Structure formats: C-alpha cells, structure tokens
Amino acid sequence: MAVTVKDVAKLAGVSAATVSRVINDDPRISEETKKRVMECIEQLNYKINNIARSLKTNKTYTIGFICPEIPNEFFMTIAKGIEDWLRKHGYNVIICNSNESIKGEEERIKLLCEKCVDGMIVIPVSNQGKHFNRLKELDIPVVLVDRLVENFTTDAVLIDNINGCYSAIEYLINHGKKRIGFIGGDLRLTSGSERYEGYKRALKDYCIPLEEKIIKFGDFHIQSGYELMKELMEIDDPPQNVFIANYFMHIGATKYLIENKEKLKYPVSITITAG
Amino acid sequence: MAVTVKDVAKLAGVSAATVSRVINDDPRISEETKKRVMECIEQLNYKINNIARSLKTNKTYTIGFICPEIPNEFFMTIAKGIEDWLRKHGYNVIICNSNESIKGEEERIKLLCEKCVDGMIVIPVSNQGKHFNRLKELDIPVVLVDRLVENFTTDAVLIDNINGCYSAIEYLINHGKKRIGFIGGDLRLTSGSERYEGYKRALKDYCIPLEEKIIKFGDFHIQSGYELMKELMEIDDPPQNVFIANYFMHIGATKYLIENKEKLKYPVSITITAG
DNA sequence: CCATGTTATGCACACGATTACATTCTATTT
DNA sequence: AAATAGAATGTAATCGTGTGCATAACATGG
C-alpha cells in the first residue's frame, strides 16, 4: 500500500540500502545518485516509516512528560516550554496526566515505557514513588521537575524553595511585619515542606516565635486557599500579613478576602511565592 | 538485551507463535499452556515491544490531538476529556500545540502522520487548511472540534453557536434590554462568525436595528476583551448590556469594568456564552 | 604490473512481533 | 481399522528499515 524504500530503490535503479543511506545523509553516497534518489522520493511522495526505523534503531525520538494535572496553567506553561525546546531538536512529546494520583502516575510511567520513549520528564505527585525504579531497570533517563522523589536519584529542575521563602519572609520582617501567617501546601511534597522550612528558618533567625494557630496547610489548589484563609480570619486575632506558598492558593485566599471585606477586623496583605 | 517473545518461548518450551497467541488472548490456546506461558512472562518480566507490534499490525493505538494553545484551560479541559476516554479504551494521546498558526498546524499534522497515529482530533486555528487533505490521502480519520475547515468534510463536534447566542440575546430582550453591545471573536473562525450570526438574527427577529459602533471583534483572548470593552465604554453613549462571545474575553472585559468602576456612566451588565 | 587505498554500492540479516499455512495428535465416525 | 474432523501448536514468511560486511571500480604508488 504505502510507498517503501524498495519502491524508491526500484525506480531509482539502486538498492534499498542506498536509499536508506540517502535518507540518513550518509556522506559516502555520491552526489549524483543522492540527487537521483531524492527526485524519486519526491516523485513517489515517499514518507519514511518511523515505526520500522524505531524498531531497528531503538530510538523513538519521543519524550514523555507526566504532570499531575492537564488543565493547570502552571504545568502547561512548563509543557509548552518543553515542547518548544524538544521540537527544535527533533524530538516530540507525549503529554500525560497522572491526575494527582500515585496510581495514575505509575500507570503513565508504565504506558510510556511500553511506548518505548527515549526519556521522561516527570512532575511527581508525591515524594513516594518506587514505581520509578522500573525506569532505572529499563535504563530510561528521567528528569524530575519541581519536586523530588525519595530514594530515587536523578537529575532534576527545582526551585530553591527554602531560600526563596526565607527571602520573602525576611523582606516582610525588614518592613516591620512581625506576625506573619502561613498558608502552605502538602508537606509530603518537597515544594510543600521546603517552603515551610524557609518560613521556619526565617522566623527563627529573627527570633520570632512560631505561632501554630496562624499556620495552615492545604493542597495547593484554589479552593484550599479559600478555606484556609477563612479559617485564618476567623480566629480571635487574625494576622495582618499572610504568606501563601503558591499561586493557586493565593487566588482562593484573595477571593475570600474580597468576598468578606466588610467582615475583616483590619486590612490583610498577602505575599506569595512562585510555583 | 530486552526480553522478547523468543526468550519466553524458550523458557516455556513452546514456539514464539504460541507466546504471541497467549498475549493476544487467542482462544485456541489450551488453558494449560496459557497458564505456563503467563508464568514465564511474569518470571522474566517480559514487556511487549509495541514498536514491533505496530510494524506488523499497522496500528499504534495512538491518537493525536492538536490544539491552538496548550496553556489554555478551555482546550486543556477538552484534552483531559479526550485522554480519559481514550485511555479507558486502550488508546493513548499525543497532545500537540499548533501555536495559533496555520504553519504550526501543518507541521503538527505532518508530525503525527509520520508518527503513524491511528487518528487525529483537531481544533483548527482557522477555517483555511488545505494541509488537511494529506490526511484524506493517507486515509487517517480526523475529527474536528469547535471549528470547521472549508472544503474539508469530516466528522466534527461543534457547539450550536448560532442558536446558543440567539437564545442568549433573546433572553436579554425578553428582560427588557434593547440596546445590547457585542464583543465577538475572529470572523474567520466558525466560533466567531456563527456567534455573530446568532446575535444578528435575534436583533432582526425582534426588530432591533444593528448599531455598528457597539459591535467589536477581537481574538478570543483576555487582553482583547479588556481593550474592546474599553473602546466600547469610551464612546459617547455606551451600551448598558454587553454580550461577550467567549470566556476569556469576558475575563478581560470584566477586569476593565472593575478597574474603571468610577469612570463608568452607569452600571454595565455582561452576558457570555460558553467556549 | 601488482599491491594497496579510496569510494560507491549491493547483499543479506536483524529488529520483535504477527499470522497464514502446515503439522501433529487425539477423538470420533463409518 | 481406516478415515475424518477438530484442537493445539509449530514453521516460516513478513512488516519497513538500518547496517556490517563484501564487492567492484578506479586511482595511486612503487
């Protein structure tokens, strides 16, 4: 049905091997036959069969990207960056959605292994992940993004969560704020625990006692930010400054403040961190 | 290196063909050997090589999804739905970004063809697209979503833009609003032109004259909504009701109204349509 | 003139699975 | 007992490429 190297070879009067070499820019092929073969390729509208090529070369030029949520601007902006870069370098990307679940993540990793991807980029859903060991066995390169996985060492692209938050808190303190509330994320994620760590360190270094009732932990989502801000504002003496550990929770928290403007005892200001 | 059917066959004392049949649930294989082969598969941790399988069967169980923008909640919500459904049915999805450009769209289509996908789902960037003809030639099934392409007939999932907008405008009229501004999208997209069509029809049916200066067209993005609402509010006699043809432009438009509350001559209400 | 090097190309097998066809074996029928 | 049918499995070709090795033609040097 489809045109193959053999068809091209026959038309050009050469062997299939020669056609293959032309396709792969083998320098040993003479300019003359190269030109002739190219013309035949054009004429027959030959398209290489990447499946066959991959079977032979063991390379798919495909990278898998697993993220916890697809309709999420933070993750998708990363996805776009990955896709742009890899495309320029001849690779393409399969974007998968682990759906915030370890089981989902495990399934996608399995899927991508079966798809024979050349490598994977993963934003882990938690710091637990023995399913990553499969990748070590199969010798598939992995790069983690934003979060780490325990007992699995590999390259990773991370935010300096601790120092980033430390600086933010330090800034507030230097501007005279001493009672700073904290709305953080899941402590099982490095992005959750490390940002909390930065908060704690800054307070400690400036001799401000940790005040448990103005510290709340959510799940990095809008709704969670809304609820935690509500809890925070409903205690007897709410803080006037609140540090929020990510963008989405900040949206929820802001929403609460706007909706309940008149209820607040005094103005509240918010500081957030990237991610 | 990797375990193949041959290795399993040798261990189980059968032929490679039998192993293949077990994998594919061929009913002719006796329960006994089936069980033995399965054990060997388990023991060797055999994983099928989908590349080889695809080469032989001409099926990849992969569907390509091309959308104009990846970090876009509207498109990604669709992507999630597609992925969920297809996964359940044994397929997986390659999500591509045409980047709002015809050239980008053409490239992705080419890419997916070379990847030998079994089919494609496309949200076209415009109503122009002769590059779609390639798919006809290669006999690759396509489903369009949200927008149509001229001179290319295939299945499509569409919103009833005309009647949807008609109803919205009708609703406003029935509630006593007679002067209704319109902020629409690119007329080269069906989602742009059809929604405008619905607006026009409703006005006509209720004998309300079309007033050009309160009709604006943008590009369905937030910024565009902001600017058009600005233009609309800066004319001498701005409309008190505005219909906005999609979600993102509505965000921008609302932003303008909130930021310029005090400037407005009177309250303005907004009605939007899905998508 | 022979030995050797260089260049251009062909041959044939391999990649790992699927599958049409052939074979073997057992059970049943005539 | 021979013939036949049916079930279970094996044999071998095939999918479309890539590539090590062999080959052939020609040039170069001694």
Side-chain angles (χ1 to χ4, degrees), chain B residues 124-138:
Chain B
V125 297
S126 83
N127 59 0
Q128 296 302 312
K130 48 192 173 66
H131 44 289
F132 279 92
N133 292 323
R134 174 199 291 270
L135 300 171
K136 273 268 156 61
E137 287 167 25
L138 294 177

Side-chain angles (χ1 to χ4, degrees), chain A residues 92-111:
Chain A
N92 58 318
V93 186
I94 298 181
I95 300 175
C96 291
N97 180 7
S98 59
N99 243 312
E100 306 273 17
S101 96
I102 295 196
K103 197 170 167 59
E105 184 173 281
E106 186 172 353
E107 277 174 22
R108 309 309 144 129
I109 288 179
K110 206 169 131 195
L111 176 77

Side-chain angles (χ1 to χ4, degrees), chain A residues 175-219:
Chain A
H175 282 70
K177 324 295 187 188
K178 269 159 204 147
R179 195 150 168 273
I180 304 166
F182 182 84
I183 293 182
D186 193 330
L187 291 179
R188 288 166 303 177
L189 302 174
T190 48
S191 48
S193 60
E194 289 179 358
R195 287 170 197 178
Y196 182 48
E197 181 64 28
Y199 171 78
K200 281 194 298 187
R201 280 197 203 168
L203 294 195
K204 192 175 167 206
D205 288 357
Y206 286 86
C207 301
I208 299 175
L210 221 59
E211 201 181 336
E212 291 216 358
K213 66 177 173 178
I214 61 170
I215 297 174
K216 303 280 178 184
F217 297 102
D219 65 6

Side-chain angles (χ1 to χ4, degrees), chain A residues 14-15 17-18 21 28-30 33 55-56:
Chain A
V14 296
S15 74
T18 302
R21 289 188 182 112
R28 291 175 307 179
I29 300 295
S30 72
T33 48
L55 178 59
K56 197 63 188 163

Side-chain angles (χ1 to χ4, degrees), chain B residues 107-228:
Chain B
E107 278 175 19
R108 309 312 143 130
I109 288 179
K110 206 169 135 197
L111 176 78
L112 291 176
C113 289
E114 282 170 6
K115 276 271 150 192
C116 308
V117 295
D118 290 346
M120 295 178 32
I121 299 172
V122 184
I123 303 183
V125 297
S126 83
N127 59 0
Q128 296 302 312
K130 48 192 173 66
H131 44 289
F132 279 92
N133 292 323
R134 174 199 291 270
L135 300 171
K136 273 268 156 61
E137 287 167 25
L138 294 177
D139 207 33
I140 297 178
V142 195
V143 173
L144 300 180
V145 177
D146 196 36
R147 304 166 182 174
L148 289 177
V149 169
E150 274 177 18
N151 301 318
F152 179 72
T153 56
T154 186
D155 289 336
V157 178
L158 301 170
I159 294 171
D160 185 351
N161 288 304
I162 297 181
N163 289 318
C165 288
Y166 186 97
S167 305
I169 302 296
E170 191 172 41
Y171 175 88
L172 289 175
I173 294 172
N174 287 337
H175 283 69
K177 325 293 184 189
K178 268 158 206 151
R179 195 149 169 275
I180 303 165
F182 182 83
I183 294 182
D186 192 332
L187 290 180
R188 288 167 303 175
L189 301 175
T190 49
S191 48
S193 60
E194 290 180 359
R195 287 171 199 177
Y196 182 47
E197 182 63 28
Y199 170 77
K200 282 194 297 186
R201 281 197 202 168
L203 293 195
K204 192 176 167 205
D205 287 357
Y206 285 86
C207 301
I208 300 176
L210 221 60
E211 199 180 338
E212 291 214 0
K213 64 177 176 180
I214 61 170
I215 297 175
K216 302 281 178 184
F217 297 100
D219 65 4
F220 283 142
H221 281 80
I222 292 179
Q223 185 57 26
S224 174
Y226 185 92
E227 283 159 11
L228 295 177

